[in-house]
């Protein structure tokens, strides 16, 4: 039998668990689909407008802990990780409109049956059909489990060779018929599910979220977080794992997971002041985080600058650029767009300073990405603009601004 875990650090080692996490989660939510489980419900406020047309059963079998649907816009393509009874998907079906689409992902047949049970009826009420529910593990969004199971039915496994053939078929499905392809999704949402994933799969889970998002896309995730590491007693309790407690991220680590996966503009949108539960003095509460994809790529010099309005003396972005309050900071084209585009999480605090004369991308030179560089206003104005005293083309002074 597996050894009992004794510290938070050891939860990274799967062999340290004395129970099967995935099955504990599966069984708990199969039951949750059959019958409402009040102990799994974390009080959450939704916009009532979108609940009016939903069947009572979908409203009641809600095991979420936040409302990521608030941060989604009409026309977007959304994936909901661990869609359960489908409440978040059906709210989104209305918000997204006929031009948008939502794909609910769950690995639990009983939940999938429940979410699909009302699909036609809700589509009729909404006036269009824009929902889909698929079977997959959220940490492996390429593998369509229904296709894998169809193969298994035709090719039952009794030997190692057959097991190996099944693995090969799964790899083929991921490669040739991926369920969710790269860079096709505007928003990935999830409501109280990421904590349920096995620790050894959590890093892959964030990589999968990143993979499916388009450049410029975002993740909006509500989940349970804790303020201190869980005790061995909590970690060894399957009820507490499937009850969204034992697998909760420590709040700072939750944001770090997004950072490590390559996201930028990571922000806590909501953190419940009141804990949902306190166990052994550890507070477990709901938090909603948003994070953007798209900071990688070349840096081109197009003479753009930004001014940070404050109130902090200086700020640093996820690429290490330090932006000083009130200074005209030189940035590359990519950072300029990240900081100033209409949907940017930074836009409210940043004043864009474009050059008087735009430099076409084909003519742009490589930008020397210094962490702190002030751009002379003369440079922004360009040589033709009553400027007689330019010191060459060198862009910025790496001055000690802040
Ligand atoms: C706490 S419930 C949340 C359901 C839904 N998001 C809501 O707000 O009501 C967790 C759901 O995620 C599903 N789930 C848990 N782990 C999963 C995994 N690794 N892959 C896919 N689905 C998973 C469960 O079957 C269950 O339906």
């Amino acid at each position: 039998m597996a050894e009992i875990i004794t510290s938070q650090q050891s939860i990274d080692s799967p062999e340290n668990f004395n129970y099967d996490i995935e099955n504990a989660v599966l069984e708990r939510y199969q039951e949750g689909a059959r019958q409402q489980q009040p102990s799994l419900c974390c009080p959450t406020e939704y916009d009532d407008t979108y609940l009016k047309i939903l069947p009572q059963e979908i409203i009641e079998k809600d095991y979420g802990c936040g409302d990521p649907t608030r941060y989604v816009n009409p026309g977007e393509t959304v994936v909901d990780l661990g869609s359960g009874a489908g409440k978040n998907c059906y709210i989104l079906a209305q918000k997204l409109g006929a031009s948008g689409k939502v794909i609910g992902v769950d690995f639990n047949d009983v939940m999938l049956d429940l979410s699909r049970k009302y699909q036609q009826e809700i589509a009729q009420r909404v006036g269009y059909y824009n929902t889909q529910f698929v079977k997959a593990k959220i940490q492996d969004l390429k593998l369509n489990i229904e296709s894998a199971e169809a193969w298994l039915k035709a090719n039952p496994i009794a030997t190692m060779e057959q097991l190996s053939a099944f693995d090969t078929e799964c790899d083929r499905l991921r490669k040739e018929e991926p369920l969710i392809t790269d860079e096709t999704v505007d928003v990935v949402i999830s409501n109280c599910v990421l904590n349920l994933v096995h620790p050894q799969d959590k890093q892959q889970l964030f990589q999968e979220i990143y993979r499916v998002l388009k450049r410029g896309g975002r993740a909006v995730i509500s989940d349970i977080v804790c303020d201190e590491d869980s005790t061995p007693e909590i970690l060894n309790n399957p009820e507490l794992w499937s009850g969204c407690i034992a697998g909760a991220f420590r709040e700072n680590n939750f944001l770090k997971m997004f950072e490590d996966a390559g996201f930028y503009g990571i922000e806590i949108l909501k953190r419940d002041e009141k804990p949902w539960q306190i166990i052994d003095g550890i507070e477990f509460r709901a938090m909603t985080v948003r994070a953007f994809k798209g900071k990688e790529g070349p840096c081109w010099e197009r003479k753009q600058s930004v001014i940070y309005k404050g109130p902090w003396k200086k700020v640093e972005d996820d690429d290490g650029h330090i932006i000083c309050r009130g200074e005209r900071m030189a940035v590359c084209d990519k950072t300029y767009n990240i900081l100033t585009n209409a949907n940017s999480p930074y836009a409210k605090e940043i004043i864009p300073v474009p050059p008087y004369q735009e430099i076409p991308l084909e003519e742009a030179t490589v930008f020397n990405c210094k962490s702190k560089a002030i751009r002379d206003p003369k440079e922004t104005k360009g040589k033709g603009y009553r400027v007689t005293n330019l010191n060459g083309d060198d862009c910025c002074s790496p001055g000690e601004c802040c």
Side-chain angles (χ1 to χ4, degrees):
M1 207 225 293
E3 197 188 316
I4 306 261
I5 37 180
T6 52
S7 72
Q8 176 77 24
Q9 282 70 36
S10 50
I11 69 170
D12 287 338
S13 315
E15 70 277 11
N16 283 341
F17 282 90
N18 63 349
Y19 58 95
D20 179 338
I21 289 181
E22 205 159 271
N23 266 331
V25 169
L26 196 55
E27 282 167 21
R28 185 88 181 258
Y29 291 97
Q30 281 170 345
E31 203 38 47
R34 290 187 190 105
Q35 208 151 33
Q36 193 202 11
Q37 308 282 313
S39 66
L40 291 174
C41 300
C42 172
T44 301
E45 264 178 54
Y46 290 94
D47 184 341
D48 283 350
T49 334
Y50 300 110
L51 300 183
K52 288 188 187 118
I53 64 153
L54 300 194
Q56 196 54 27
E57 187 177 17
I58 299 292
I59 293 180
E60 280 171 4
K61 289 175 180 167
D62 167 12
Y63 304 123
C65 56
D67 182 9
T69 67
R70 284 177 193 270
Y71 310 95
V72 175
N73 305 315
E76 293 186 308
T77 296
V78 183
V79 165
D80 178 13
L81 302 180
S83 43
K87 185 170 172 177
N88 290 263
C89 291
Y90 289 126
I91 290 174
L92 286 177
Q94 300 165 71
K95 284 195 85 172
L96 293 169
S99 61
K101 141 172 133 180
V102 55
I103 304 164
V105 181
D106 211 293
F107 71 166
N108 169 346
D109 284 320
V110 194
M111 275 296 184
L112 281 168
D113 288 348
L114 173 59
S115 59
R116 288 169 178 163
K117 180 170 152 189
Y118 297 102
Q119 217 173 346
Q120 292 292 346
E121 187 182 319
I122 295 174
Q124 268 165 12
R125 288 188 200 164
V126 175
Y128 46 83
Y129 197 96
N130 63 353
T131 57
Q132 190 188 357
F133 293 96
V134 297
K135 187 172 181 184
K137 289 188 187 181
I138 61 172
Q139 63 271 36
D140 186 5
L141 295 170
K142 280 188 184 165
L143 185 64
N144 182 338
I145 296 183
E146 279 166 330
S147 304
E149 284 176 337
W151 188 94
L152 261 185
K153 212 169 164 193
N155 305 275
I157 293 176
T159 66
M160 276 306 292
E161 288 75 15
Q162 289 163 339
L163 181 60
S164 167
F166 176 63
D167 287 342
T168 306
E169 172 61 8
C170 288
D171 285 343
R172 189 196 67 78
L173 285 169
R174 286 187 190 95
K175 200 162 162 232
E176 293 174 17
E177 300 167 32
L179 183 66
I180 305 186
T181 44
D182 298 0
E183 312 211 339
T184 49
V185 176
D186 296 302
V187 195
V188 171
I189 68 151
S190 184
N191 199 348
C192 220
V193 187
L194 270 50
N195 71 83
L196 296 169
V197 171
H198 200 295
Q200 71 177 358
D201 295 336
K202 277 189 165 121
Q203 196 186 353
Q204 185 186 321
L205 166 63
F206 280 82
Q207 285 165 356
E208 277 294 84
I209 297 174
Y210 202 78
R211 178 184 67 78
V212 301
L213 280 170
K214 295 176 186 167
R215 190 179 175 86
R218 62 200 187 279
V220 183
I221 310 289
S222 299
D223 221 302
I224 296 293
V225 295
C226 51
D227 60 346
E228 295 178 59
D229 288 343
S230 285
T231 60
E233 290 71 30
I234 293 174
L235 295 170
N236 280 310
N237 184 330
E239 281 274 297
L240 289 180
W241 193 285
S242 60
C244 296
I245 293 289
F249 297 89
R250 208 177 64 199
E251 53 195 0
N252 57 332
N253 289 340
F254 188 36
L255 277 80
K256 184 81 173 43
M257 293 298 286
F258 289 97
E259 200 180 321
D260 291 348
F263 285 93
Y264 75 87
I266 304 153
E267 184 181 356
I268 299 172
L269 298 173
K270 190 167 187 285
R271 178 184 179 274
D272 285 1
E273 194 187 330
K274 195 166 167 276
W276 172 45
Q277 293 193 42
I278 302 176
I279 302 174
D280 292 344
I282 302 166
E283 296 184 353
F284 295 87
R285 57 165 51 76
M287 188 188 257
T288 300
V289 168
R290 182 178 59 193
F292 290 80
K293 170 175 174 175
K295 72 182 172 73
E296 45 289 280
C299 297
W300 297 114
E301 168 63 294
R302 299 180 77 190
K303 304 288 182 194
Q304 295 129 318
S305 324
V306 291
I307 298 174
Y308 168 51
K309 293 183 195 171
W312 303 101
K313 188 172 161 61
K314 59 183 166 185
V315 285
E316 184 175 344
D317 72 4
D318 283 287
D319 272 340
H321 299 109
I322 295 167
I323 313 206
C324 309
R325 181 179 57 205
E327 294 283 0
R328 188 181 285 234
M329 307 299 295
V331 286
C332 73
D333 185 49
K334 176 178 63 106
T335 303
Y336 183 78
N337 288 323
I338 283 177
L339 296 178
T340 63
N341 82 72
N343 300 317
S344 166
Y346 309 106
K348 282 199 308 291
E349 283 134 36
I350 295 289
I351 299 169
V353 187
Y356 276 31
Q357 277 146 8
E358 201 171 294
I359 298 175
L361 196 52
E362 315 81 71
E363 290 172 25
T365 52
V366 173
F367 181 85
N368 178 10
C369 244
K370 301 180 180 101
S371 61
K372 278 198 269 179
I374 300 168
R375 197 184 289 287
D376 191 311
K378 289 189 176 78
E379 260 196 288
T380 316
K381 291 172 185 169
K383 281 180 179 163
Y385 190 78
R386 285 187 280 129
V387 177
T388 52
N389 194 19
L390 267 184
N391 296 327
D393 276 328
D394 207 11
C395 104
C396 5
S397 50
E400 279 307 303
C401 52
C402 54

